[in-house]
Every structure is written in C-alpha cells, then in structure tokens.
mmCIF file of all heavy atoms in Angstrom:
data_model
loop_
_atom_site.group_PDB
_atom_site.id
_atom_site.type_symbol
_atom_site.label_atom_id
_atom_site.label_comp_id
_atom_site.label_asym_id
_atom_site.label_seq_id
_atom_site.Cartn_x
_atom_site.Cartn_y
_atom_site.Cartn_z
ATOM 1 N N ALA A 241 35.924 -54.787 -6.413
ATOM 2 C CA ALA A 241 35.159 -55.915 -5.870
ATOM 3 C C ALA A 241 35.291 -57.131 -6.787
ATOM 4 O O ALA A 241 35.635 -57.018 -7.970
ATOM 5 C CB ALA A 241 33.686 -55.524 -5.725
ATOM 6 N N GLU A 242 34.996 -58.301 -6.241
ATOM 7 C CA GLU A 242 34.976 -59.541 -7.022
ATOM 8 C C GLU A 242 33.602 -59.661 -7.680
ATOM 9 O O GLU A 242 32.705 -60.335 -7.177
ATOM 10 C CB GLU A 242 35.286 -60.732 -6.120
ATOM 11 C CG GLU A 242 36.699 -60.709 -5.561
ATOM 12 C CD GLU A 242 37.033 -61.929 -4.696
ATOM 13 O OE1 GLU A 242 36.084 -62.627 -4.273
ATOM 14 O OE2 GLU A 242 38.221 -62.169 -4.445
ATOM 15 N N LEU A 243 33.447 -59.017 -8.818
ATOM 16 C CA LEU A 243 32.150 -58.928 -9.471
ATOM 17 C C LEU A 243 31.780 -60.178 -10.250
ATOM 18 O O LEU A 243 30.599 -60.415 -10.527
ATOM 19 C CB LEU A 243 32.129 -57.732 -10.424
ATOM 20 C CG LEU A 243 32.340 -56.345 -9.803
ATOM 21 C CD1 LEU A 243 32.406 -55.284 -10.898
ATOM 22 C CD2 LEU A 243 31.225 -56.027 -8.816
ATOM 23 N N THR A 244 32.773 -60.977 -10.650
ATOM 24 C CA THR A 244 32.496 -62.140 -11.493
ATOM 25 C C THR A 244 32.736 -63.440 -10.746
ATOM 26 O O THR A 244 31.797 -64.128 -10.350
ATOM 27 C CB THR A 244 33.364 -62.091 -12.761
ATOM 28 O OG1 THR A 244 34.758 -61.968 -12.381
ATOM 29 C CG2 THR A 244 32.982 -60.906 -13.645
ATOM 30 N N LEU A 245 33.997 -63.767 -10.502
ATOM 31 C CA LEU A 245 34.381 -65.006 -9.818
ATOM 32 C C LEU A 245 35.370 -64.681 -8.700
ATOM 33 O O LEU A 245 35.998 -63.617 -8.701
ATOM 34 C CB LEU A 245 35.040 -65.979 -10.809
ATOM 35 C CG LEU A 245 34.210 -66.409 -12.022
ATOM 36 C CD1 LEU A 245 35.078 -67.215 -12.987
ATOM 37 C CD2 LEU A 245 32.989 -67.215 -11.584
ATOM 38 N N GLY A 246 35.487 -65.576 -7.752
ATOM 39 C CA GLY A 246 36.417 -65.376 -6.660
ATOM 40 C C GLY A 246 37.851 -65.215 -7.159
ATOM 41 O O GLY A 246 38.302 -65.937 -8.052
ATOM 42 N N GLY A 247 38.552 -64.238 -6.615
ATOM 43 C CA GLY A 247 39.932 -63.988 -6.982
ATOM 44 C C GLY A 247 40.105 -63.018 -8.133
ATOM 45 O O GLY A 247 41.237 -62.595 -8.422
ATOM 46 N N PHE A 248 39.013 -62.662 -8.825
ATOM 47 C CA PHE A 248 39.067 -61.686 -9.904
ATOM 48 C C PHE A 248 38.605 -60.339 -9.358
ATOM 49 O O PHE A 248 37.438 -60.166 -9.015
ATOM 50 C CB PHE A 248 38.170 -62.109 -11.071
ATOM 51 C CG PHE A 248 38.659 -63.325 -11.816
ATOM 52 C CD1 PHE A 248 38.360 -64.603 -11.354
ATOM 53 C CD2 PHE A 248 39.410 -63.190 -12.973
ATOM 54 C CE1 PHE A 248 38.797 -65.725 -12.036
ATOM 55 C CE2 PHE A 248 39.854 -64.310 -13.661
ATOM 56 C CZ PHE A 248 39.553 -65.583 -13.191
ATOM 57 N N ARG A 249 39.543 -59.396 -9.267
ATOM 58 C CA ARG A 249 39.258 -58.104 -8.668
ATOM 59 C C ARG A 249 39.005 -57.076 -9.759
ATOM 60 O O ARG A 249 39.895 -56.757 -10.551
ATOM 61 C CB ARG A 249 40.411 -57.665 -7.761
ATOM 62 C CG ARG A 249 40.563 -58.570 -6.537
ATOM 63 C CD ARG A 249 41.708 -58.132 -5.635
ATOM 64 N NE ARG A 249 41.578 -56.746 -5.190
ATOM 65 C CZ ARG A 249 40.739 -56.329 -4.256
ATOM 66 N NH1 ARG A 249 39.936 -57.199 -3.659
ATOM 67 N NH2 ARG A 249 40.699 -55.053 -3.905
ATOM 68 N N HIS A 250 37.771 -56.557 -9.785
ATOM 69 C CA HIS A 250 37.347 -55.615 -10.814
ATOM 70 C C HIS A 250 37.103 -54.235 -10.204
ATOM 71 O O HIS A 250 36.538 -54.130 -9.106
ATOM 72 C CB HIS A 250 36.043 -56.088 -11.462
ATOM 73 C CG HIS A 250 36.098 -57.483 -12.009
ATOM 74 N ND1 HIS A 250 36.576 -57.773 -13.258
ATOM 75 C CD2 HIS A 250 35.726 -58.685 -11.459
ATOM 76 C CE1 HIS A 250 36.493 -59.073 -13.476
ATOM 77 N NE2 HIS A 250 35.987 -59.647 -12.402
ATOM 78 N N ASP A 251 37.485 -53.192 -10.909
ATOM 79 C CA ASP A 251 37.142 -51.839 -10.488
ATOM 80 C C ASP A 251 35.689 -51.579 -10.864
ATOM 81 O O ASP A 251 35.311 -51.675 -12.036
ATOM 82 C CB ASP A 251 38.067 -50.820 -11.152
ATOM 83 C CG ASP A 251 39.479 -50.898 -10.595
ATOM 84 O OD1 ASP A 251 39.625 -51.162 -9.393
ATOM 85 O OD2 ASP A 251 40.429 -50.697 -11.372
ATOM 86 N N VAL A 252 34.883 -51.252 -9.879
ATOM 87 C CA VAL A 252 33.445 -51.103 -10.098
ATOM 88 C C VAL A 252 33.149 -49.952 -11.058
ATOM 89 O O VAL A 252 32.264 -50.045 -11.904
ATOM 90 C CB VAL A 252 32.717 -50.899 -8.755
ATOM 91 C CG1 VAL A 252 31.228 -50.671 -8.968
ATOM 92 C CG2 VAL A 252 32.943 -52.114 -7.853
ATOM 93 N N CYS A 253 33.884 -48.872 -10.926
ATOM 94 C CA CYS A 253 33.697 -47.716 -11.824
ATOM 95 C C CYS A 253 35.035 -47.359 -12.461
ATOM 96 O O CYS A 253 35.451 -48.022 -13.389
ATOM 97 C CB CYS A 253 33.099 -46.543 -11.062
ATOM 98 S SG CYS A 253 31.440 -46.859 -10.428
ATOM 99 N N ALA A 254 35.702 -46.347 -11.956
ATOM 100 C CA ALA A 254 36.938 -45.864 -12.577
ATOM 101 C C ALA A 254 38.071 -46.868 -12.411
ATOM 102 O O ALA A 254 38.184 -47.532 -11.375
ATOM 103 C CB ALA A 254 37.330 -44.527 -11.960
ATOM 104 N N THR A 255 38.938 -46.944 -13.433
ATOM 105 C CA THR A 255 40.060 -47.881 -13.332
ATOM 106 C C THR A 255 41.394 -47.281 -13.738
ATOM 107 O O THR A 255 42.392 -47.492 -13.074
ATOM 108 C CB THR A 255 39.780 -49.163 -14.137
ATOM 109 O OG1 THR A 255 40.722 -50.170 -13.766
ATOM 110 C CG2 THR A 255 39.819 -48.941 -15.636
ATOM 111 N N ALA A 256 41.475 -46.519 -14.845
ATOM 112 C CA ALA A 256 42.717 -45.845 -15.237
ATOM 113 C C ALA A 256 42.629 -44.391 -14.791
ATOM 114 O O ALA A 256 41.584 -43.763 -14.912
ATOM 115 C CB ALA A 256 42.935 -45.935 -16.746
ATOM 116 N N HIS A 257 43.758 -43.844 -14.295
ATOM 117 C CA HIS A 257 43.689 -42.564 -13.594
ATOM 118 C C HIS A 257 44.735 -41.548 -14.051
ATOM 119 O O HIS A 257 45.638 -41.182 -13.295
ATOM 120 C CB HIS A 257 43.843 -42.806 -12.092
ATOM 121 C CG HIS A 257 42.838 -43.730 -11.515
ATOM 122 N ND1 HIS A 257 41.506 -43.410 -11.396
ATOM 123 C CD2 HIS A 257 42.964 -44.992 -11.032
ATOM 124 C CE1 HIS A 257 40.846 -44.420 -10.850
ATOM 125 N NE2 HIS A 257 41.706 -45.393 -10.634
ATOM 126 N N PRO A 258 44.615 -41.043 -15.282
ATOM 127 C CA PRO A 258 45.565 -39.988 -15.695
ATOM 128 C C PRO A 258 45.452 -38.736 -14.836
ATOM 129 O O PRO A 258 46.460 -38.103 -14.514
ATOM 130 C CB PRO A 258 45.174 -39.706 -17.148
ATOM 131 C CG PRO A 258 43.778 -40.221 -17.290
ATOM 132 C CD PRO A 258 43.678 -41.387 -16.354
ATOM 133 N N LEU A 259 44.231 -38.379 -14.440
ATOM 134 C CA LEU A 259 44.049 -37.188 -13.608
ATOM 135 C C LEU A 259 44.351 -37.486 -12.141
ATOM 136 O O LEU A 259 44.696 -36.584 -11.380
ATOM 137 C CB LEU A 259 42.623 -36.648 -13.753
ATOM 138 C CG LEU A 259 42.214 -36.236 -15.173
ATOM 139 C CD1 LEU A 259 40.795 -35.671 -15.179
ATOM 140 C CD2 LEU A 259 43.189 -35.212 -15.742
ATOM 141 N N GLY A 260 44.219 -38.738 -11.736
ATOM 142 C CA GLY A 260 44.554 -39.098 -10.363
ATOM 143 C C GLY A 260 46.046 -39.020 -10.109
ATOM 144 O O GLY A 260 46.501 -38.458 -9.113
ATOM 145 N N ARG A 261 46.823 -39.578 -11.023
ATOM 146 C CA ARG A 261 48.275 -39.521 -10.872
ATOM 147 C C ARG A 261 48.769 -38.085 -10.942
ATOM 148 O O ARG A 261 49.755 -37.723 -10.288
ATOM 149 C CB ARG A 261 48.937 -40.362 -11.973
ATOM 150 C CG ARG A 261 50.456 -40.374 -11.922
ATOM 151 C CD ARG A 261 50.949 -41.058 -10.653
ATOM 152 N NE ARG A 261 52.402 -40.993 -10.545
ATOM 153 C CZ ARG A 261 53.067 -39.992 -9.992
ATOM 154 N NH1 ARG A 261 52.414 -38.934 -9.504
ATOM 155 N NH2 ARG A 261 54.380 -40.023 -9.927
ATOM 156 N N GLY A 262 48.094 -37.244 -11.730
ATOM 157 C CA GLY A 262 48.527 -35.863 -11.876
ATOM 158 C C GLY A 262 47.850 -34.882 -10.954
ATOM 159 O O GLY A 262 48.128 -33.684 -11.010
ATOM 160 N N SER A 263 46.938 -35.343 -10.089
ATOM 161 C CA SER A 263 46.190 -34.446 -9.215
ATOM 162 C C SER A 263 47.119 -33.657 -8.297
ATOM 163 O O SER A 263 47.923 -34.240 -7.569
ATOM 164 C CB SER A 263 45.214 -35.256 -8.361
ATOM 165 O OG SER A 263 44.713 -34.485 -7.285
ATOM 166 N N PRO A 264 47.024 -32.325 -8.295
ATOM 167 C CA PRO A 264 47.879 -31.529 -7.406
ATOM 168 C C PRO A 264 47.717 -31.904 -5.938
ATOM 169 O O PRO A 264 48.702 -31.911 -5.193
ATOM 170 C CB PRO A 264 47.420 -30.094 -7.675
ATOM 171 C CG PRO A 264 46.869 -30.123 -9.060
ATOM 172 C CD PRO A 264 46.221 -31.469 -9.190
ATOM 173 N N VAL A 265 46.503 -32.226 -5.511
ATOM 174 C CA VAL A 265 46.309 -32.541 -4.101
ATOM 175 C C VAL A 265 46.793 -33.950 -3.783
ATOM 176 O O VAL A 265 47.433 -34.174 -2.746
ATOM 177 C CB VAL A 265 44.833 -32.340 -3.672
ATOM 178 C CG1 VAL A 265 43.895 -33.309 -4.374
ATOM 179 C CG2 VAL A 265 44.683 -32.477 -2.154
ATOM 180 N N PHE A 266 46.563 -34.919 -4.660
ATOM 181 C CA PHE A 266 47.059 -36.271 -4.396
ATOM 182 C C PHE A 266 48.578 -36.301 -4.389
ATOM 183 O O PHE A 266 49.191 -37.049 -3.621
ATOM 184 C CB PHE A 266 46.542 -37.251 -5.445
ATOM 185 C CG PHE A 266 45.063 -37.559 -5.350
ATOM 186 C CD1 PHE A 266 44.445 -38.308 -6.345
ATOM 187 C CD2 PHE A 266 44.303 -37.114 -4.286
ATOM 188 C CE1 PHE A 266 43.084 -38.601 -6.275
ATOM 189 C CE2 PHE A 266 42.935 -37.399 -4.204
ATOM 190 C CZ PHE A 266 42.336 -38.142 -5.207
ATOM 191 N N ARG A 267 49.209 -35.494 -5.256
ATOM 192 C CA ARG A 267 50.669 -35.521 -5.336
ATOM 193 C C ARG A 267 51.315 -35.043 -4.045
ATOM 194 O O ARG A 267 52.423 -35.479 -3.712
ATOM 195 C CB ARG A 267 51.154 -34.640 -6.504
ATOM 196 C CG ARG A 267 50.798 -35.160 -7.868
ATOM 197 C CD ARG A 267 51.740 -34.617 -8.956
ATOM 198 N NE ARG A 267 51.932 -33.188 -8.910
ATOM 199 C CZ ARG A 267 51.224 -32.304 -9.591
ATOM 200 N NH1 ARG A 267 50.212 -32.712 -10.345
ATOM 201 N NH2 ARG A 267 51.484 -31.013 -9.518
ATOM 202 N N ARG A 268 50.649 -34.146 -3.324
ATOM 203 C CA ARG A 268 51.290 -33.624 -2.111
ATOM 204 C C ARG A 268 50.932 -34.422 -0.856
ATOM 205 O O ARG A 268 51.539 -34.211 0.197
ATOM 206 C CB ARG A 268 50.932 -32.150 -1.918
ATOM 207 C CG ARG A 268 49.517 -31.881 -1.474
ATOM 208 C CD ARG A 268 49.353 -30.439 -1.010
ATOM 209 N NE ARG A 268 48.010 -30.121 -0.585
ATOM 210 C CZ ARG A 268 47.501 -30.479 0.589
ATOM 211 N NH1 ARG A 268 48.225 -31.183 1.442
ATOM 212 N NH2 ARG A 268 46.262 -30.136 0.909
ATOM 213 N N LEU A 269 49.946 -35.315 -0.943
ATOM 214 C CA LEU A 269 49.560 -36.103 0.218
ATOM 215 C C LEU A 269 50.442 -37.343 0.346
ATOM 216 O O LEU A 269 50.881 -37.902 -0.658
ATOM 217 C CB LEU A 269 48.088 -36.526 0.114
ATOM 218 C CG LEU A 269 47.055 -35.407 0.167
ATOM 219 C CD1 LEU A 269 45.645 -35.968 -0.046
ATOM 220 C CD2 LEU A 269 47.128 -34.664 1.496
ATOM 221 N N PRO A 270 50.684 -37.812 1.567
ATOM 222 C CA PRO A 270 51.573 -38.974 1.771
ATOM 223 C C PRO A 270 50.846 -40.297 1.537
ATOM 224 O O PRO A 270 50.878 -41.202 2.387
ATOM 225 C CB PRO A 270 51.990 -38.807 3.240
ATOM 226 C CG PRO A 270 50.789 -38.193 3.891
ATOM 227 C CD PRO A 270 50.218 -37.243 2.856
ATOM 228 N N LEU A 271 50.212 -40.450 0.385
ATOM 229 C CA LEU A 271 49.375 -41.625 0.156
ATOM 230 C C LEU A 271 50.198 -42.896 -0.038
ATOM 231 O O LEU A 271 49.715 -43.994 0.251
ATOM 232 C CB LEU A 271 48.468 -41.380 -1.048
ATOM 233 C CG LEU A 271 47.521 -40.182 -0.919
ATOM 234 C CD1 LEU A 271 46.638 -40.060 -2.146
ATOM 235 C CD2 LEU A 271 46.678 -40.288 0.353
ATOM 236 N N ALA A 272 51.452 -42.765 -0.505
ATOM 237 C CA ALA A 272 52.310 -43.950 -0.637
ATOM 238 C C ALA A 272 52.558 -44.596 0.714
ATOM 239 O O ALA A 272 52.732 -45.821 0.810
ATOM 240 C CB ALA A 272 53.630 -43.564 -1.302
ATOM 241 N N ARG A 273 52.551 -43.788 1.749
ATOM 242 C CA ARG A 273 52.728 -44.308 3.111
ATOM 243 C C ARG A 273 51.622 -45.286 3.482
ATOM 244 O O ARG A 273 51.808 -46.184 4.318
ATOM 245 C CB ARG A 273 52.754 -43.142 4.102
ATOM 246 C CG ARG A 273 53.014 -43.527 5.546
ATOM 247 C CD ARG A 273 52.801 -42.330 6.457
ATOM 248 N NE ARG A 273 53.568 -41.161 6.032
ATOM 249 C CZ ARG A 273 53.349 -39.934 6.495
ATOM 250 N NH1 ARG A 273 52.372 -39.706 7.369
ATOM 251 N NH2 ARG A 273 54.080 -38.928 6.076
ATOM 252 N N TYR A 274 50.477 -45.134 2.849
ATOM 253 C CA TYR A 274 49.328 -45.982 3.145
ATOM 254 C C TYR A 274 49.078 -47.023 2.056
ATOM 255 O O TYR A 274 47.979 -47.567 1.938
ATOM 256 C CB TYR A 274 48.080 -45.115 3.331
ATOM 257 C CG TYR A 274 48.232 -44.125 4.471
ATOM 258 C CD1 TYR A 274 48.618 -42.815 4.218
ATOM 259 C CD2 TYR A 274 48.043 -44.519 5.791
ATOM 260 C CE1 TYR A 274 48.775 -41.905 5.252
ATOM 261 C CE2 TYR A 274 48.205 -43.617 6.839
ATOM 262 C CZ TYR A 274 48.581 -42.323 6.560
ATOM 263 O OH TYR A 274 48.750 -41.414 7.594
ATOM 264 N N GLY A 275 50.108 -47.306 1.266
ATOM 265 C CA GLY A 275 50.027 -48.415 0.329
ATOM 266 C C GLY A 275 49.678 -48.067 -1.101
ATOM 267 O O GLY A 275 49.556 -48.972 -1.940
ATOM 268 N N LEU A 276 49.507 -46.768 -1.437
ATOM 269 C CA LEU A 276 49.166 -46.424 -2.803
ATOM 270 C C LEU A 276 50.379 -46.620 -3.718
ATOM 271 O O LEU A 276 51.437 -46.054 -3.491
ATOM 272 C CB LEU A 276 48.694 -44.966 -2.899
ATOM 273 C CG LEU A 276 48.370 -44.471 -4.314
ATOM 274 C CD1 LEU A 276 47.205 -45.237 -4.906
ATOM 275 C CD2 LEU A 276 48.097 -42.971 -4.317
ATOM 276 N N ARG A 277 50.194 -47.447 -4.765
ATOM 277 C CA ARG A 277 51.222 -47.686 -5.761
ATOM 278 C C ARG A 277 50.603 -47.559 -7.146
ATOM 279 O O ARG A 277 49.521 -48.080 -7.394
ATOM 280 C CB ARG A 277 51.830 -49.098 -5.617
ATOM 281 C CG ARG A 277 52.479 -49.369 -4.261
ATOM 282 C CD ARG A 277 53.781 -48.593 -4.086
ATOM 283 N NE ARG A 277 54.426 -48.922 -2.811
ATOM 284 C CZ ARG A 277 54.182 -48.304 -1.662
ATOM 285 N NH1 ARG A 277 53.291 -47.309 -1.621
ATOM 286 N NH2 ARG A 277 54.799 -48.668 -0.553
ATOM 287 N N TRP A 278 51.294 -46.868 -8.037
ATOM 288 C CA TRP A 278 50.803 -46.677 -9.394
ATOM 289 C C TRP A 278 51.454 -47.693 -10.326
ATOM 290 O O TRP A 278 52.658 -47.951 -10.240
ATOM 291 C CB TRP A 278 51.107 -45.270 -9.887
ATOM 292 C CG TRP A 278 50.399 -44.188 -9.114
ATOM 293 C CD1 TRP A 278 50.939 -43.380 -8.155
ATOM 294 C CD2 TRP A 278 49.029 -43.811 -9.233
ATOM 295 N NE1 TRP A 278 49.989 -42.510 -7.667
ATOM 296 C CE2 TRP A 278 48.804 -42.753 -8.319
ATOM 297 C CE3 TRP A 278 47.973 -44.259 -10.023
ATOM 298 C CZ2 TRP A 278 47.566 -42.143 -8.175
ATOM 299 C CZ3 TRP A 278 46.731 -43.646 -9.884
ATOM 300 C CH2 TRP A 278 46.533 -42.601 -8.968
ATOM 301 N N VAL A 279 50.659 -48.255 -11.231
ATOM 302 C CA VAL A 279 51.122 -49.234 -12.202
ATOM 303 C C VAL A 279 51.036 -48.608 -13.592
ATOM 304 O O VAL A 279 49.944 -48.226 -14.035
ATOM 305 C CB VAL A 279 50.271 -50.520 -12.146
ATOM 306 C CG1 VAL A 279 50.707 -51.502 -13.215
ATOM 307 C CG2 VAL A 279 50.336 -51.153 -10.760
ATOM 308 N N HIS A 280 52.181 -48.520 -14.287
ATOM 309 C CA HIS A 280 52.234 -47.857 -15.594
ATOM 310 C C HIS A 280 52.464 -48.887 -16.705
ATOM 311 O O HIS A 280 53.561 -49.448 -16.814
ATOM 312 C CB HIS A 280 53.360 -46.826 -15.621
ATOM 313 C CG HIS A 280 53.102 -45.624 -14.773
ATOM 314 N ND1 HIS A 280 52.453 -44.502 -15.242
ATOM 315 C CD2 HIS A 280 53.392 -45.377 -13.467
ATOM 316 C CE1 HIS A 280 52.372 -43.600 -14.271
ATOM 317 N NE2 HIS A 280 52.923 -44.106 -13.182
#
C-alpha cells in the first residue's frame, strides 16, 4: 500500500521472502502466469 506518499509502494508486513521463493507448494504452482516475478 501507499503508506506514506503517493507513488511510494510499501509492503505492509512481510517484504523479503526466502521461504516464499523456496516454498514447495509455491514452486509447483503456475504463479508466474499471473504476474509473479522475483527480484534478487
């Protein structure tokens, strides 16, 4: 959400995802088809 000023997008809670990228269930789901991109 834009918690501070317009155009600044902040993660309300979690932001870095070592377990998300490595999640066995996320890895097998076609989430890239729906726009999921990881930034390293």
Side-chain angles (χ1 to χ4, degrees):
E242 294 182 343
L243 299 175
T244 55
L245 301 172
F248 291 84
R249 294 180 56 76
H250 306 275
D251 289 325
V252 177
C253 296
T255 194
H257 303 291
L259 300 182
R261 180 65 184 87
S263 166
V265 65
F266 289 172
R267 292 203 311 267
R268 73 167 179 77
L269 294 176
L271 300 182
R273 183 189 307 166
Y274 300 97
L276 177 64
R277 300 289 183 272
W278 296 102
V279 177
H280 290 271

